[in-house]
Amino acid sequence: MRYAETGFNLEIDLTRRSIERVVTDPTDTELYLGGLGTNARILWDRVPPEVEAFSPDNLLIFAAGLLCGTPAPGCNRTIVSTISPQTKLMAFSMMGGFWAPELKYAGYDKVIFRGKSSELVYLWINNGKVEIRDASHLKGKGAIETEKLIRQELNEPKAQVAAIGLAGENRVYFASIEQGRSSASRGGIGAVMGDKGLKAIAVRGTGDINIAQPDEFLELCNEVLEYIKVREQNPIPGVMPILAGLGSPQEMKIHDEKWHTESFMWGNSRHRRKDFWTEEIEKEWTETMENARTRLISCYNCPMKCGATISMPGLPTYMMKCFSKLTYTMAAMSNLDFGLKIAQRATEYGVDAYSTPQVMAFALELYENGILTESDMPGLPSANEDRFYWLLDRIVRREGIGDILANGTYWAAKEIGKGAEEYAHNNIKKHEQLPLKLSMLNPIYFLMYCTGEKINITQIEGQFPQMPFPTMEEREEFVKDWLQVPDEKFKQYFLDWELRGEKSMPNYPTVEMCCNIVDWQEMMHYIDDALGMCSGLSSFPLKPPYHIHNFPKFISSGAGIDMDEAKLTQAARRYRTLVRAVNIRRGMRRKDEKPPEDHWKKRFPELEKDLLDAYYKFKGWNNEGIPTKESLHELGLDYVSEDLQQRGILTDIER
Ligand code: SF4
């Protein structure tokens, strides 16, 4: 009997229109867990580096994490993996909501798409009955609208539907996949779905999941729920509001936006507005949010209510969560009312709320600086906000200049030329980032930005405070109940961390400490992404309910795999290294591992080199960031090392 997982994947060939139910190998679950881990294994085995994002041979994998569908609170993530058209590397975007547990209840762990359909279609998974259906009548429809129409058409109000909008259909490089209360947005995975001619996947499942030791498992779940209550009553003092509690940053509940609006950049990640957050603005934005927010909502089996339904006058209701509340507002240098309105249209189009506003602000900066002109943008409105709507409409339709901008700032700048590359300044590995510019280099963040392969800082950070606390009393208070640390040494790192002087940034935490901290933070995210756990209850916040000490127990009692901390650490290292190997085979090297040029004012080239050298060594990678033969062997990845040697990527010298 299989526990926690179903033991079956669906293999869909969209060219041949074939549907297969395939038994999976339980050994793979032991080695790579599930979700991202087994996705990485499949992409490694079946998508060689010559295959491009828009090739029929590229795979698009929708995976429910290993513990999705079990009673583990907040375990509901769908991990979508493919090759990104924008970065040309592996994309692995996650979405919360309800889709992954529903897939498990229908009897499958993953849906793997290959090929391309010449006509627009959608997949309907109704427990054991699976069919590819015509979607020509849904062409051009919004993502949320599609969800409603499919439910009506199937007469199945409980079907969970993941869909793309116009942006995905038109292969916009930053197109998302939307799913009611959530979306998988980063890396252009919606464009790959559109390229395959797949408008949506609807799923309805009424089966059960087996739990290996139900009593032990439920006890662990109750402990988590109890801990969530305790943490809610005891927010962490001395940190910004969104980091004081649990959950995916609770932007829908919190009205205090002083930190974001004054620390993050506005426009094309250029302008800091140091005294922006006045009493007047706070009052206006609070009123806007209170009027717009009709209901706070949660994902499947979670008490946190991180998202909200938003109803702006004259517009259909839509769901929002997290920082997309501010991205359009800040890119347009406008107000919250504008941000909430344009986000409704953008959600229907199905675009990433981080990249899209930056692409539009980039275009307008090029226009203001004469690089793009009237002839490039005929009919551009004169009012600022109207310009954003105008650009959004053209990007998702790939009309005129929108066709170039639809490839993101990196590729658009290359095509536009005339110095446009200087303006595409906020990318890592060709992908738009949060608009941050800070003063002093933070060595921990430097390493995360450089080496993170999610290419999205919020999905790498967490666990360790972002800044030192001013007094020793505050630090001692913080470490007192810090049970999540994998090793006591992390407490000492934090106790000794000062705001100024010898033990302050950039030289403290030391290079060695930074390696340990980044490795811990990254490992927790990778574990979440294999189990299907929401990072809002695990890898992202400080002192979360899930951690390295209780995850092995969840896996043992849930999935029936004999697991301990050492084995879990090794498994996470294994598939994390496999993700890197996929990308190394696609050409990623040390030269690609850098933060946006002007992310920090004060840079330290020598220290940065030392950090990267030391971290590569710490991870078992050579000086180019390529996993060494020895480290691959230690992780049971000899097949990777053989492939890299055959391709001349690992040579005798580099091994
Ligand atoms: S913590 Fe928030 S984002 Fe995460 S599962 Fe719960 S409601 Fe969803």
Side-chain angles (χ1 to χ4, degrees):
M1 187 183 283
R2 302 285 279 267
Y3 298 104
E5 61 180 350
T6 67
F8 294 99
N9 288 343
L10 271 177
E11 291 270 359
I12 313 290
D13 188 322
L14 290 162
T15 308
R16 295 163 187 264
R17 299 216 165 198
S18 64
I19 298 167
E20 277 176 282
R21 179 173 175 260
V22 178
V23 184
T24 59
D25 183 351
T27 319
D28 280 346
T29 315
E30 294 207 11
L31 292 173
Y32 308 97
L33 303 181
L36 172 65
T38 35
N39 283 6
R41 175 74 213 239
I42 293 167
L43 282 179
W44 172 269
D45 286 348
R46 292 171 52 185
V47 185
E50 304 75 36
V51 171
E52 297 195 347
F54 293 148
S55 159
D57 295 332
N58 187 13
L59 298 182
L60 178 66
I61 310 172
F62 286 72
L66 177 62
L67 297 181
C68 287
T70 71
C75 195
N76 49 48
R77 259 43 191 172
T78 307
I79 300 94
V80 189
S81 305
T82 189
I83 301 303
S84 160
Q86 190 177 36
T87 66
K88 300 186 180 293
L89 303 173
M90 179 174 165
F92 48 108
S93 205
M94 267 70 60
M95 57 187 176
F98 292 73
W99 198 90
E102 198 75 22
L103 183 71
K104 285 281 193 79
Y105 301 145
Y108 314 99
D109 299 314
K110 295 185 201 290
V111 190
I112 304 169
F113 294 95
R114 63 182 186 275
K116 285 189 195 195
S117 170
S118 49
E119 307 297 328
L120 197 63
V121 294
Y122 75 91
L123 188 74
W124 170 217
I125 306 168
N126 186 7
N127 290 305
K129 191 168 175 238
V130 184
E131 45 180 327
I132 298 170
R133 294 174 67 112
D134 172 50
S136 53
H137 57 299
L138 300 170
K139 193 168 168 47
K141 299 282 185 210
I144 309 302
E145 193 186 0
T146 296
E147 184 179 329
K148 283 187 197 138
L149 290 170
I150 288 181
R151 280 179 170 158
Q152 277 168 15
E153 177 175 314
L154 298 172
N155 195 21
E156 184 47 88
K158 289 186 176 166
Q160 298 301 332
V161 183
I164 53 169
L166 199 52
E169 285 182 40
N170 288 331
R171 305 195 298 183
V172 172
Y173 281 12
F174 39 93
S176 60
I177 299 170
E178 300 287 329
Q179 186 239 147
R181 287 150 209 251
S182 196
S183 70
S185 302
R186 306 292 281 168
I189 52 174
V192 176
M193 188 159 162
D195 181 64
K196 294 202 170 299
L198 182 66
K199 180 71 179 173
I201 315 171
V203 58
R204 176 71 182 130
T206 53
D208 284 325
I209 292 293
N210 301 313
I211 304 289
Q213 296 160 297
D215 292 344
E216 286 84 342
F217 194 82
L218 283 176
E219 202 179 313
L220 289 165
C221 295
N222 286 334
E223 280 171 21
V224 162
L225 289 170
E226 280 307 310
Y227 181 84
I228 289 173
K229 276 190 211 152
V230 173
R231 271 289 270 108
E232 270 191 324
Q233 285 150 13
N234 298 280
I236 293 175
V239 296
M240 71 185 93
I242 58 159
L243 293 181
L246 293 173
S248 177
Q250 307 235 303
E251 285 289 317
M252 300 304 118
K253 288 182 192 168
I254 288 165
H255 293 306
D256 179 358
E257 290 296 353
K258 182 176 172 59
W259 191 80
H260 279 135
T261 55
E262 295 189 354
S263 306
F264 285 24
M265 296 295 135
W266 294 64
N268 182 27
S269 187
R270 297 273 190 208
H271 309 286
R272 188 158 177 194
R273 298 170 91 177
K274 275 188 177 165
D275 300 313
F276 174 79
W277 196 251
T278 59
E279 259 179 46
E280 202 183 319
I281 296 277
E282 179 160 16
K283 189 167 170 285
E284 182 197 317
W285 284 34
T286 302
E287 266 172 32
T288 302
M289 197 63 199
E290 288 292 323
N291 289 333
R293 195 186 61 191
T294 34
R295 201 157 60 95
L296 286 169
I297 50 176
S298 270
C299 307
Y300 176 83
N301 190 24
C302 182
M304 295 311 301
K305 294 191 177 165
C306 300
T309 48
I310 302 289
S311 302
M312 298 302 282
L315 296 176
T317 298
Y318 69 105
M319 179 269 174
M320 174 179 268
K321 95 174 171 65
C322 205
F323 190 61
S324 42
K325 171 179 159 188
L326 296 186
T327 54
Y328 291 96
T329 295
M330 291 177 70
M333 311 277 285
S334 186
N335 56 28
L336 188 59
D337 185 73
F338 164 76
L340 296 180
K341 280 181 181 153
I342 194 169
Q344 185 277 327
R345 193 182 295 188
T347 304
E348 284 290 10
Y349 282 150
V351 284
D352 176 16
Y354 282 36
S355 289
T356 313
Q358 288 191 53
V359 173
M360 298 192 287
F362 155 82
L364 290 174
E365 207 179 58
L366 292 184
Y367 183 74
E368 280 151 21
N369 287 281
I371 294 174
L372 289 175
T373 62
E374 284 281 341
S375 64
D376 298 308
M377 299 163 108
L380 180 73
S382 53
N384 178 44
E385 280 87 354
D386 293 346
R387 289 180 162 183
F388 276 77
Y389 282 106
W390 187 92
L391 281 166
L392 180 62
D393 291 346
R394 271 147 195 82
I395 287 169
V396 300
R397 291 184 172 80
R398 283 191 172 271
E399 275 174 17
I401 191 68
D403 190 30
I404 296 171
L405 296 172
N407 294 342
T409 55
Y410 174 86
W411 296 107
K414 270 194 169 326
E415 197 171 339
I416 292 165
K418 296 185 264 180
E421 276 153 313
E422 289 288 304
Y423 297 79
H425 65 108
N426 195 37
N427 299 331
I428 299 177
K429 294 172 183 149
K430 308 181 180 65
H431 201 24
E432 292 79 16
Q433 299 297 312
L434 276 179
L436 285 179
K437 279 189 195 183
L438 303 165
S439 179
M440 173 64 74
L441 177 101
N442 178 324
I444 303 169
Y445 274 70
F446 170 80
L447 275 184
M448 288 193 291
Y449 273 122
C450 289
T451 61
E453 276 156 88
K454 276 194 184 176
I455 319 176
N456 183 3
I457 195 66
T458 53
Q459 292 176 357
I460 313 170
E461 63 187 335
Q463 307 290 336
F464 202 83
Q466 296 187 359
M467 295 289 290
F469 287 4
T471 67
M472 184 54 86
E473 290 70 40
E474 287 168 283
R475 286 175 234 153
E476 282 171 351
E477 188 60 29
F478 181 82
V479 302
K480 225 165 51 186
D481 60 355
W482 201 8
L483 55 94
Q484 291 78 2
V485 289
D487 188 296
E488 290 296 301
K489 68 186 174 198
F490 289 98
K491 293 184 181 174
Q492 201 57 49
Y493 294 175
F494 184 67
L495 285 170
D496 292 342
W497 196 12
E498 305 269 3
L499 273 171
R500 277 170 207 87
E502 225 174 82
K503 291 201 168 167
S504 70
M505 290 191 287
N507 293 315
Y508 193 96
T510 64
V511 170
E512 187 196 336
M513 292 172 189
C514 287
C515 291
N516 280 290
I517 294 166
V518 172
D519 186 59
W520 170 30
Q521 300 196 117
E522 184 187 76
M523 175 179 73
M524 297 317 299
H525 280 276
Y526 273 76
I527 293 173
D528 286 348
D529 299 346
L531 302 183
M533 184 57 68
C534 170
S535 65
L537 293 176
S538 176
S539 48
F540 185 77
L542 297 166
K543 300 185 181 174
Y546 291 102
H547 42 79
I548 192 65
H549 308 304
N550 63 4
F551 266 142
K553 297 177 192 160
F554 272 96
I555 297 169
S556 298
S557 60
I561 297 170
D562 179 24
M563 189 59 74
D564 59 27
E565 289 179 29
K567 275 193 199 164
L568 182 55
T569 303
Q570 184 79 339
R573 273 190 69 203
R574 183 176 298 116
Y575 57 83
R576 191 272 170 267
T577 306
L578 197 51
V579 170
R580 171 148 289 242
V582 169
N583 289 335
I584 287 290
R585 206 167 61 163
R586 302 188 78 84
M588 188 186 80
R589 295 290 185 274
R590 185 179 180 124
K591 66 175 171 28
D592 302 303
E593 305 226 281
K594 52 188 182 200
E597 283 294 302
D598 59 354
H599 190 86
W600 292 283
K601 255 194 223 144
K602 294 180 194 156
R603 296 290 294 263
F604 302 86
E606 276 305 308
L607 172 65
E608 292 172 20
K609 182 182 173 302
D610 291 349
L611 280 162
L612 211 47
D613 284 347
Y615 194 62
Y616 279 177
K617 210 165 171 190
F618 179 94
K619 297 290 260 193
W621 305 339
N622 71 17
N623 213 32
E624 275 297 314
I626 304 170
T628 62
K629 192 179 172 201
E630 292 71 29
S631 69
L632 290 167
H633 177 70
E634 196 197 318
L635 294 167
L637 297 176
D638 286 331
Y639 63 92
V640 172
S641 140
E642 278 159 27
D643 183 279
L644 295 181
Q645 284 172 73
Q646 272 168 19
R647 291 175 187 275
I649 293 169
L650 264 183
T651 65
D652 284 339
I653 306 161
E654 287 163 337
R655 274 175 222 163

